[in-house]
Each structure stands twice: as C-alpha cells, then as structure tokens.
Amino acid sequence: MAGLIPQSFIDTLLDRVDIVEVVDHRVKLKKTGKNYSACCPFHEEKTPSFTVSPEKQFYYCFGCGASGNALGFIMDFERLSFPESVEQLARLVGVDVPREVQSEAQAQREQEKRSIYSLLEKASTFYQNQLRQHPSKQMAVTYLKGRGLDGKIAKEYGVGFAPPGWDNLLKSLAETDEDKHLLIEGGMLIHNTDEKRIYDRFRHRIMFPIRDTRGRVIGFGGRVLGNDKPKYLNSPETPIFHKGQELYGLYEARLAYRELPRLLVVEGYMDVVSLAQFGIRYAVATLGTACGEDHLDRAFRHTDEVVFCFDGDNAGRTAAHRALENSLSSMKDGRQVKFLFLPEGEDPDTLVRQIGPEKFERMVELAVPLEDYLFDAVAEGLNIRTMEGRASFSKRAAPLLDRLPKGVFRELMFENLAKRTGLSRNVLQDLISQAQPEPLPAPAPIKTEPKPEKPSHPSAPPPIEPEYSDYTDDYYSPPSPPPEYDGYYEERQPRRNKARDYRELQPDLQPQVASKYLMPPARKAIALLLTHPELAASEADHDSWLACEDEEIQLLGRLLKLLHERSHYNLSHILGYWLGAYGSENTEKLAAIAGHDLLQATSAITQVRQDKPPKADYDSAAAFCDCMEKLRKQESAKKTAQLLEKLRSGDLNQEERKRLAAEVLAHKIIK
C-alpha cells in the first residue's frame, strides 16, 4: 500500500457512485415507491425486507439489521477489506485511488514490502520447478505419491521442493546484496552474523506456499524429507507474514466457492491439500499455532460456520479445549462453531480416503456444536446430579459464558445453564463477579492399546505421520552450514521495521439489530442528525458531549464534531467517514440507528403532502432541540447527584459547595 486513502477522495467517490447500481449488479432490485427492495443477501428470507434508498444512498434490512452505504455493501457482500472495496468502487467509475504523501521512511518500508512479495513469488516458482527438474526430486515425488496427491492439485496449491544443500535458493534469486537482504527479511535466508555466513532456511523439504487473501505469497511451510529437525517448519515472522493471523488454504477456498459453506480447521498442510483433491475445498490450517481470536476473526469474515477438526486422543481433546476458549469472544449472533473428533489414529487425509468425501462431509455436518461441547467440557470429572457437582459446574461455566458477546446466543446459553443448575440469572451473575478465571479441566486420559507394527515392503513409500507430531515453532534455530561453506555476506545496518503493520479495516458480518421501540434522547438526536445533518448547526457545542462518560452521548459528540467540520456531509458521506475513522463495528452501530423503524416512519411523515394539514408535519428541528435539552438536564442531574454524594461524604471543596448552593437556589434540587 502506497499510503492512506484521503478522506476527500472517499467522499467524492461516494458522490459519484449510485448505490442502486452497485447493489442491483449483485442483487436484483425491484422498484417499490421511492425505494428499491429485494430479499436480503445477508440472511435467508422469503419475503423481501431489504431496502435501498437512492435518495439517501443507504441500504437497510428490517430482518437482520444489515445496513450501510455503497462502500459498506461492497465490503459485506464481496467480503473485501476497506481499501480493497474503495479500489473496486473506483474501478466502477474509472478513476485511480490516490494515496496520501508518505515520509521517506514510510515509502521505503512500503517499497521493501513490495520487493519481498515479488521475491517470494519467485521463490515459489523456483520450488515448483525443482519438484519437476531437480536430480534429487524422486524422494519428494515418492512421498507425495505415497500421500495420494496428484499433479493437478499439487500445481493448484503450488506444492514444491527445496532440494538438499545450503545455497540453492541463494544462488538462484540473490543476484545482489539488496536481494540477499530482502530474502533475509522475508524469512527465506538465514544470516549468521557471528560467522558472516548466509544460507537457505528451507532445505530438503516439501514446500507449501502460504498465500494471503489476495493470493500473494507471504511465507512458506516445509515438511522435511530427511532426518533434519524440526519435521515441520514455517517462515518466521516478517514484515508481511504474521502466523497468528493467517490461515493456510483460505485463498484457495475462496476461489473454489462463491459463498463458503463453512471453514474446516485442520492441523496440517497435507490435510488441506488432500481434502481439496476429494472435492472438499473449504479446509484451512493454522500455521503451527492454536487457532486464536485473530484466526477466527479472519475466518468469520468469509463464512458463518467454523468446524474444528481434531484427533480423538488426549492431545486432540486438549487442543479442542484451547480452541473452545479462544472461540467464545467471537460468538456473535448468527455464527456457528463446531467440533469434529476423528477416530483414534486417523487424520482427515487418511479418513477421507477410507470412507469417501460424502461420508466425511456428513461427519462434518454432524459435528458437535459449541454449546454442547462447552457444557460437556465444563462437566468433565463432575457429577452434576449432586448439589456439590452442580455448584462446581456453575462456578466453572458462568465465567466462560460471560466472555460471550452480548446478543441472543449469550442469553440462550445463560438460560441453558440456569436450567441445568436450577439457579436464577441473578445468582449466576453473582458467580461471575466472584469467581476467579480458571481454565477448562484437562480431559480425562484415554487408555489406548498399542497397535502391532506391520512389516513394510522395501519399496513402500514413507509412512503417513501426523502433520505436527514433531513441530517446532519459529524460535527453533537451524544449524549453521559446515565451515567450508563459502557463502559470505557483508555486514550492513539492519533495516527491519519493528513497528506494527497497518491492519486493514474489515467488515463485521453481524450488525446489531436496532430496538423497535422509543429511542432514548441521545440515540434519537443521532438518528435525527443522520437524516437531517443540517440540524448540527443548532447545537454549536460538541466538546462537552465528547467529555461525557456515556458511550452513546460520546457518539453524539463525535457526530456533531464531524458535521461542524464538514457541514456538506450527507448520510452516505458520514458512514464512509465513520468506516475509515472508527472501523466497521462502530459504523454498523451508526447505520443501525439510521435504519431504525422509527426513523423510517419519521422520514415518511416529514414529507409535505397536500392531503394533510401543516400541523401534522413532523418538526425535526424542534424534536432535535428537545432531545438536546433533555440531555442537558440529564447530565446536570448526574453532576448534582455526584455533588450531593460528595457532600454526604465530606469531600466537597469550596468551589463545589458554591456550585451546589447555586443549584439549590435555582430550584434544581427537589426536596
């Protein structure tokens, strides 16, 4: 990315695009009065509840609450990031996206990233060519054939071969010192500063390129073919690769499906590729780490269902416990997490070959839902038929459920817990406030009988082993080459950027559904400003509202400040600005207020018609002033209550006493 996109360009872009055209190109719209309607593309429905307003350049679904402007629709529908959505809209109107001027250091870092992307793409091509051409390729070919992999799927996933030796990639790609530096930064070469030597990180391994969601190669995973350690090795953290955020196979899965039915999280690269060969193309793998919140956030941008696949042994169940705990904060309404446990000794690769893809997919569909697995895991080792067992069960479960996001799913889970224990919601809430966080109990050990070893034929391919049975993370330090190795690297100043990379905005797929009842004054004021931005001129103050503790009043203050600075903004501009400044979650909250049923009714009755008397017209300006006056009284009452509390405790200073006396004289305190 060459720089941040100027807000002025986004405003102009939203003025030039027509949301009706943008939506109709993807979802067929039908004219209904002044607006357009269709069945919502974001949830299943038979009766259209999805409305697009050409006047406001805004869409809203009365069924699921999805809402926003043209930019937000592209993000949600196409599952694209904020900058990618801006690029797509810009292509629609035939303009280039400008970037803000960067400092020399920023420009240098961006240029370095682009160069690393280019070299890693060349490295991927190099490894694929070695699998076809290198004299030592036969061992790799034998291994892949032993895993049942055909050439077509290997090419699709870019599977390659890093030959034995210390400098194959170095000699092929590092033509200059700058190339060497970039390959070190990209994790492909290792620089031993003590011995002033440089050599390949990946040697004698099957290579799997790791791609980001745009298809760019950002790193590699390698499975060793000899006796080197570790058996599985990933690229280290680099300016473009962060293993705690990436999912191997996600790019290929998105290519295979217009709408991903689900994502199946497995343990290794070969599981992903083998399942794809059998037509199951929605498998992904974490890169040697447990599936964390960042992984899940990325997964849920592209689907509403994630299924974890684990071995049924102790290690698999322990990993499932970690995945369960990491999933709780991501469980917004409409999302599903499931757990699939395979028979002992099987992995997805071997099992799908035995039972076929249809039966395997049926197993995936019947995986254990999070709600069932959570209560089973919490009950481990307890007899919940006894009072003591139910007490322990409640103390374990309540703090876990408290980590769920607010919504229907959270309420149903607490209701389920209340039924299982016989405790009221208030008692469970007390348990949450008193309980100390503790991990889920370790799964009970499973006793397994050792299987007799089968004699292997001398020409048989190497046995299939669990993907990460000998995985070592990026802190593993590969051995240095022998002393006679002649690769020498001149000392240079390190230029690695330690700063955190810019993280592109992404859409939150589950917008909050607004209340259908009367709005509190702050929310009503926001709704009126979104419909009539010119009302901001009647409330000159925004700083005092920004200083309030109430989040909704702070939101009102931010909106007032924006409209004071940019009085020409309409609803579409406001949402476009909010998306870039505050992120998708805050934008969804604002859009939900704009799409509120009452706001739609208000818009209807503000239209002057000849068949109704003038007194029936809704006075938006009066309503807005009334809201602001109520808020002022509300905040004044809060401050007075705080002064009275200080007076009772004797902590009131002289200035505060004067203020309290003035309020009493003004009859603001009712005795």
Side-chain angles (χ1 to χ4, degrees):
M1 184 179 66
L4 297 180
I5 303 171
Q7 182 63 46
S8 57
F9 174 78
I10 297 173
D11 296 342
T12 304
L13 183 63
L14 288 170
D15 282 336
R16 293 187 60 177
V17 299
D18 180 6
I19 191 171
V20 174
E21 180 184 349
V22 171
V23 175
D24 189 57
H25 183 68
R26 295 158 178 84
V27 179
K28 195 60 183 174
L29 295 173
K30 183 180 179 181
K31 191 80 161 64
T32 52
K34 293 178 61 178
N35 298 327
Y36 293 80
S37 65
C39 286
C40 181
F42 304 116
H43 80 286
E44 295 292 333
E45 64 175 3
K46 295 181 180 179
T47 304
S49 61
F50 181 81
T51 301
V52 179
S53 169
E55 179 185 354
K56 298 177 183 175
Q57 291 293 298
F58 178 75
Y59 72 89
Y60 186 78
C61 175
F62 292 95
C64 69
S67 55
N69 58 9
L71 187 56
F73 182 83
I74 291 291
M75 289 178 67
D76 283 353
F77 190 83
E78 301 287 354
R79 309 290 175 91
L80 296 176
S81 67
F82 179 75
E84 290 169 339
S85 300
V86 174
E87 293 276 1
Q88 186 162 130
L89 281 182
R91 284 195 294 270
L92 180 65
V93 296
V95 297
D96 294 327
V97 179
R99 303 285 181 169
E100 291 181 352
V101 178
Q102 296 177 305
S103 68
E104 185 177 345
Q106 289 174 322
Q108 187 176 11
R109 285 195 295 269
E110 292 301 329
Q111 179 57 47
E112 186 174 86
K113 286 183 181 181
R114 288 193 293 271
S115 299
I116 292 174
Y117 282 125
S118 176
L119 281 171
L120 292 190
E121 193 64 49
K122 291 178 181 178
S124 180
T125 302
F126 169 79
Y127 290 136
Q128 291 177 61
N129 289 337
Q130 299 310 297
L131 185 59
R132 295 193 299 268
Q133 302 169 2
H134 197 274
S136 303
K137 69 176 183 178
Q138 194 54 47
M139 190 173 181
V141 172
T142 302
Y143 173 79
L144 293 174
K145 285 184 176 179
R147 300 296 297 258
L149 208 64
D150 63 35
K152 181 180 178 182
I153 203 73
K155 182 178 180 181
E156 184 176 333
Y157 279 80
V159 178
F161 173 52
W166 295 92
D167 56 2
N168 293 292
L169 188 70
L170 173 63
K171 288 181 177 178
S172 176
L173 297 185
E175 298 178 357
T176 65
D177 283 351
E178 181 64 19
D179 290 339
K180 293 176 184 177
H181 165 73
L182 292 170
L183 287 168
I184 292 171
E185 289 292 283
M188 304 308 296
L189 300 178
I190 295 174
H191 179 204
N192 187 319
T193 54
D194 294 334
E195 300 179 15
K196 295 184 179 180
R197 299 177 188 276
I198 181 172
Y199 49 93
D200 293 356
R201 179 180 297 275
F202 297 99
R203 306 177 301 279
H204 204 200
R205 292 178 182 270
I206 300 290
M207 298 298 293
F208 300 86
I210 302 164
R211 298 185 174 102
D212 63 11
T213 52
R214 295 170 62 178
R216 299 174 298 188
V217 178
I218 55 175
F220 289 87
R223 197 277 184 194
V224 76
L225 288 169
N227 297 318
D228 292 343
K229 299 292 182 179
K231 184 177 295 181
Y232 287 91
L233 180 67
N234 287 325
S235 292
E237 295 283 309
T238 72
I240 64 172
F241 176 62
H242 309 284
K243 68 177 183 179
Q245 301 172 10
E246 301 297 337
L247 290 168
Y248 174 75
L250 179 58
Y251 171 72
E252 290 79 5
R254 290 183 64 207
L255 287 182
Y257 299 92
R258 172 64 186 85
E259 290 289 334
L260 276 167
R262 64 181 61 87
L263 284 175
L264 178 68
V265 182
V266 296
E267 290 190 34
Y269 319 110
M270 281 302 303
D271 289 328
V272 173
V273 180
S274 295
L275 288 173
Q277 184 166 311
F278 281 86
I280 302 171
R281 293 176 170 265
Y282 48 75
V284 295
T286 56
L287 304 170
T289 64
C291 191
E293 292 182 14
D294 287 340
H295 290 123
L296 284 162
D297 286 344
R298 177 150 297 190
F300 279 126
R301 292 172 194 152
H302 306 287
T303 185
D304 294 329
E305 180 180 332
V306 173
V307 181
F308 291 106
C309 183
F310 296 104
D311 296 340
D313 57 12
N314 292 326
R317 293 168 70 210
T318 300
H321 279 19
R322 289 200 302 269
L324 170 64
E325 293 194 67
N326 290 337
S327 301
L328 294 175
S329 61
S330 301
M331 291 302 296
K332 297 181 180 180
D333 291 345
R335 295 178 175 180
Q336 270 192 308
V337 168
K338 297 181 179 179
F339 296 83
L340 172 63
F341 295 96
L342 303 183
E344 180 191 351
E346 301 290 352
D347 58 30
D349 180 15
T350 58
L351 188 61
V352 73
R353 297 176 192 281
Q354 292 180 35
I355 66 175
E358 293 82 9
K359 290 184 178 179
F360 187 90
E361 285 203 89
R362 184 61 178 157
M363 289 178 63
V364 173
E365 291 169 0
L366 297 175
V368 181
L370 177 141
E371 53 267 29
D372 293 336
Y373 182 63
L374 184 148
F375 288 124
D376 290 344
V378 169
E380 188 83 48
L382 298 177
N383 180 2
I384 59 173
R385 294 183 179 180
T386 66
M387 293 181 65
E388 293 84 355
R390 287 198 298 274
S392 298
F393 181 79
S394 303
K395 289 180 180 179
R396 287 180 182 178
L400 290 173
L401 299 191
D402 191 48
R403 291 160 61 181
L404 294 169
K406 292 181 179 179
V408 176
F409 181 73
R410 173 189 170 99
E411 297 305 313
L412 291 175
M413 288 293 282
F414 270 107
E415 184 179 327
N416 193 321
L417 178 60
K419 289 179 180 178
R420 289 170 182 258
T421 60
L423 299 176
S424 69
R425 179 62 186 271
N426 290 337
V427 173
L428 293 174
Q429 196 63 44
D430 289 340
L431 288 175
I432 293 170
S433 60
Q434 297 171 12
Q436 294 294 325
E438 58 181 61
L440 285 168
I446 300 174
K447 295 181 180 179
T448 57
E449 295 293 332
K451 294 182 179 180
E453 294 186 6
K454 296 180 181 179
S456 59
H457 191 274
S459 61
I464 297 174
E465 301 169 354
E467 285 296 307
Y468 285 97
S469 58
D470 193 20
Y471 178 81
T472 303
D473 66 17
D474 297 336
Y475 292 102
Y476 172 83
S477 179
S480 297
E484 62 272 15
Y485 175 67
D486 59 356
Y488 180 83
Y489 184 59
E490 293 293 336
E491 287 289 345
R492 60 186 294 158
Q493 295 297 319
R495 286 167 39 187
R496 176 86 176 260
N497 173 28
K498 298 292 184 182
R500 292 182 64 188
D501 293 333
Y502 169 68
R503 298 177 68 181
E504 297 176 341
L505 295 170
Q506 295 287 354
D508 179 352
L509 302 182
Q510 296 297 324
Q512 298 292 325
V513 180
S515 167
K516 294 185 178 180
Y517 303 100
L518 289 176
M519 294 180 176
R523 196 178 311 163
K524 185 176 180 181
I526 294 170
L528 289 165
L529 281 175
L530 292 172
T531 309
H532 307 284
E534 67 277 5
L535 293 176
S538 64
E539 177 62 35
D541 179 29
H542 57 254
D543 290 330
S544 61
W545 304 115
L546 287 170
C548 291
E549 296 180 357
D550 185 277
E551 290 185 4
E552 204 157 68
I553 296 178
Q554 289 178 1
L555 175 61
L556 172 62
R558 286 198 293 269
L559 182 57
L560 282 168
K561 184 175 186 294
L562 174 65
L563 293 175
H564 289 159
E565 294 171 351
R566 308 182 188 200
S567 57
H568 63 284
Y569 266 21
N570 59 28
L571 177 58
S572 184
H573 291 142
I574 293 168
L575 294 177
Y577 173 87
W578 226 260
L579 200 56
Y582 300 112
S584 57
E585 184 174 351
N586 287 311
T587 306
E588 291 291 356
K589 292 177 182 177
L590 202 65
I593 296 174
H596 194 281
D597 288 15
L598 289 182
L599 183 60
Q600 299 294 323
T602 299
S603 298
I605 63 176
T606 51
Q607 303 298 322
V608 178
R609 302 196 311 267
Q610 294 181 356
D611 61 343
K612 68 175 183 178
K615 65 180 180 180
D617 293 338
Y618 185 81
D619 192 337
S620 300
F624 178 72
C625 292
D626 181 60
C627 289
M628 301 309 295
E629 185 60 30
K630 286 180 180 177
L631 285 175
R632 272 186 276 272
K633 290 179 179 178
Q634 178 181 300
E635 290 302 303
S636 177
K638 283 183 183 178
K639 292 176 182 177
T640 301
Q642 292 169 357
L643 291 174
L644 285 171
E645 185 60 34
K646 281 190 172 185
L647 182 62
R648 294 188 189 99
S649 62
D651 293 336
L652 213 61
N653 60 36
Q654 189 63 30
E655 187 63 32
E656 289 171 332
R657 287 177 183 276
K658 289 181 181 179
R659 178 179 170 184
L660 185 59
E663 299 220 10
V664 171
L665 290 174
H667 306 289
K668 292 187 176 180
I669 300 177
I670 300 174
K671 295 184 180 180

